Amino acid sequence: MINKHLRVVLAEDSVVLRDGMVELLGARGCDVVATAGTAPELLAAVAEHRPDVAVVDVRMPPTHTDEGIRAAVEIRATAPGVGILVFSQHVEAAWAARLLADGSAGVGYLLKERVARTSEFVDALHRVAEGGTALDPEVVTQLLRGGQRSRVDTLTPREREVLELMAQGHSNRSIAGLLTVSERAVEKHVAAVFAKFGLHATEADNRRVKAVLTYLAENGS
């Protein structure tokens, strides 16, 4: 059950959408501590408030190309404890791969037109703030279209399917339900992915996160 009161910085250049999101998030128990309409304003707000998570649009003034996601990458470098949820109409695969392949968790990328309920968005915010991932399947698909696929290409179709669902933030139990298989079967597929990616068990390492990051890094540039 989600009960943490999230502190959020919201970067969105559309005033109408920004104000609507502030109201919706406030009604869901989130505290929007600052809003930003440009990338420099976003960076300044994150530096000042150190929120749990920053919601970032990809395209922001002045050029409306990739200012937002560039700022998100900078935040990951300067404030790695701040979760990043990219929320946009556009997929910038190369920058998304850089954002997701730096060895850090706590990153999400959702497409505006594909979020059907406010509760889904807020759930994703909490997941990212807690160090998880929240990736739209379409984002994963576009990341798959480019890059070298050396280790990913060694996976069987089922292992790849399991890894894609892992990249979307699903647990083993959730994956088992979606694929209509046993949780034990999912565990075997996940173990096979770890083995093929050369991810060995240690007390400190989160192999699940590393597997997802390996997958995204090899398929996003």
Side-chain angles (χ1 to χ4, degrees), residues 165-181:
L165 291 171
M166 285 168 57
Q168 294 165 32
H170 292 282
S171 65
N172 285 2
R173 179 173 296 181
S174 175
I175 293 171
L178 290 168
L179 299 181
T180 319
V181 298

Side-chain angles (χ1 to χ4, degrees), residues 118-138:
T118 304
S119 59
E120 293 178 2
F121 181 75
V122 175
D123 287 347
L125 272 181
H126 280 272
R127 192 185 313 151
V128 168
E130 292 165 4
T133 56
L135 302 177
D136 187 283
E138 178 59 25

Side-chain angles (χ1 to χ4, degrees), residues 3 12 14 27 50 53 63 68-69 98 106 125 133 142 148 158:
N3 50 29
E12 168 59 59
S14 167
R50 293 290 169 161
V53 60
T63 68
I69 198 165
R98 287 187 61 178
L125 272 181
T133 56
Q142 292 206 31
Q148 299 301 313
R158 179 62 89 183

Side-chain angles (χ1 to χ4, degrees), residues 136-163:
D136 187 283
E138 178 59 25
V139 174
V140 175
T141 296
Q142 292 206 31
L143 287 169
L144 278 169
R145 290 176 180 165
Q148 299 301 313
R149 304 182 182 179
S150 55
R151 283 174 288 185
V152 174
D153 273 348
T154 68
L155 302 180
T156 67
R158 179 62 89 183
E159 290 164 359
R160 191 184 181 105
E161 191 171 16
V162 167
L163 183 55

